[in-house]
């Protein structure tokens, strides 16, 4: 049996997943949130195969939750181990052969899953200048995990890696070239693990060779990005130097004239940290309508709340603009996929985002779009020139696959 433990360590959270990679199923997963605050929340879910002999075995789910103080990532790892020991699966019986780690920023240096060495750890730390909110937390998770699982390889999978195929014309910002080079200011792109997983699954589902089709992937969660994938390679993506650029997100602004920051600095006296906080944490849907959750925006708009209506319209307007631009970059499109919380669940967002693409032959089937079903599915009409799909993303599985591929 080959089990892989996947770790996603955020600044105040630890997400983990133990996967049985012979069957590619999750045995258990959990989320520890609000690390470092007076009360942290802990949730651990165990999946048990009730009828292992059957072709489609029944999976039973048991969930355990509690609240307690957890001071730092080392304590979070200890809590995770205690949860496995108490509720299962017992790690000595389901010993991981490797640990896979999500790391947000790999800069221009990392383009593939990489086995962790002291030098790799140092470079991830050094890349914190480009991702001060993410890389230090990712690194803390790696250090804590290596102390606990010291006899198996650890592998890092970067959010930026899939976008290392962007051509210079797509990743270069038109600013002073010397300054840009010196400070590594360019577009890197994020959500790469998800865009890779979704584009590959879409091709497989349709029975089409990935190296023969042009795809758009909309990853619409709390963070959101769209990627143009040309014959299996990311050639354009909406996030940039950081995950702030591009689409309207839950709390992030996405695109904004950079001079607006100069204006706010000069006229409103906002400092660098206040602007950072404004654009990353108090903008997007939250800034416009007071809610960062698309469900609240949709309900508000339905109930006649003007701010929710406007937030929704801005969100859709941006999606349409990016779809058009990326289809032009690709010279056409064969497949469009939606994934993540909004993309997988918000029927209206999918329909509205593509409503103006009739001129390239996109036709959504309203009944297929409205159907609620798990798994990958087609929502385009039979006579649509473009296949439109809902593809549930699985970043943990993708990280586990990539981890096994290099050990
Ligand atoms: P993250 O980026 O945090 O991983 P997810 O991919 O889990 O986010 O997406 C979370 C978001 O998905 C929520 O904030 C909410 O806006 C949206 N969402 C979840 N379920 C629905 C739904 N049924 N309808 C509309 N939006 C939804």
């Amino acid at each position: 049996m080959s089990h892989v433990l996947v770790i996603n360590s955020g600044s105040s959270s630890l997400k983990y997943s133990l996967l049985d990679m012979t069957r590619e199923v999750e045995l258990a997963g959990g989320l520890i949130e609000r690390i470092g605050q007076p009360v942290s929340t802990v949730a651990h879910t165990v999946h048990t195969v009730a009828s292992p002999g059957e072709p489609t075995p029944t999976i039973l789910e048991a969930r355990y939750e509690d609240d307690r103080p957890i001071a730092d990532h080392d304590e979070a790892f200890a809590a995770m181990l205690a949860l496995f020991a108490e509720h299962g699966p017992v790690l000595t019986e389901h010993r991981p052969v490797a640990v896979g780690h999500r790391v947000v920023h790999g800069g221009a240096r990392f383009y593939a899953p990489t086995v962790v060495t002291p030098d790799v750890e140092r470079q991830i730390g050094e890349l914190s200048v480009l991702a001060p909110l993410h890389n230090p937390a990712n690194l803390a998770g790696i250090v804590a995990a290596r102390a606990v699982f010291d006899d198996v390889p650890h592998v890092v999978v970067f959010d930026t890696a899939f976008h290392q195929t962007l051509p210079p014309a797509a990743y270069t910002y038109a600013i002073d070239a010397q300054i840009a080079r010196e400070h590594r200011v360019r577009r890197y792109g994020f959500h790469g693990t998800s865009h890779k997983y979704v584009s590959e699954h879409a091709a497989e589902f349709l029975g089409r060779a990935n190296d023969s089709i042009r795809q758009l992937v909309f990853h619409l969660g709390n963070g959101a990005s769209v990627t143009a994938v040309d014959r299996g390679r990311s050639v354009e993506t909406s996030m940039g130097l950081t995950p702030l650029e591009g689409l309207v997100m839950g709390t992030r602004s996405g695109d904004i004239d950079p001079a607006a920051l100069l204006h706010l600095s000069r006229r409103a006296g906002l400092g660098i940290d206040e602007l950072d906080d404004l654009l990353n944490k108090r903008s997007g849907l939250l800034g416009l309508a007071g809610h960062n959750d698309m469900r609240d925006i949709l309900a508000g708009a339905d109930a006649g709340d003007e701010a929710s209506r406007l937030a929704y319209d801005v969100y859709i307007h941006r999606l349409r603009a990016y779809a058009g631009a990326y289809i032009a970059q690709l010279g056409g499109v064969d497949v469009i996929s939606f994934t993540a919380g909004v993309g997988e669940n918000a029927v209206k967002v999918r329909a509205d985002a593509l409503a103006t693409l009739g001129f390239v032959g996109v036709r959504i089937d309203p009944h297929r779009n409205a159907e609620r079903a798990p798994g990958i599915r087609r929502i385009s009409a039979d006579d649509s020139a473009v296949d439109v799909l809902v593809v549930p993303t699985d970043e943990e599985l993708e990280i586990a696959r990539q981890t096994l591929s290099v050990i």
Side-chain angles (χ1 to χ4, degrees), residues 375-395:
I376 184 166
R377 63 204 168 88
R378 189 199 312 258
I379 59 168
S380 45
D382 289 339
D383 63 351
S384 179
V386 178
D387 286 305
V388 183
L389 308 179
V390 174
V391 185
T393 193
D394 194 338
E395 287 163 288

Side-chain angles (χ1 to χ4, degrees), residues 320 323-324 327 333 336 350-364 380-381 383-386 388:
R320 288 180 180 174
I327 291 170
V333 63
I336 299 176
R350 292 193 297 258
D352 289 342
L354 304 188
T356 53
L357 287 182
F359 73 99
V360 286
V362 173
R363 277 173 41 80
I364 297 268
S380 45
D383 63 351
S384 179
V386 178
V388 183

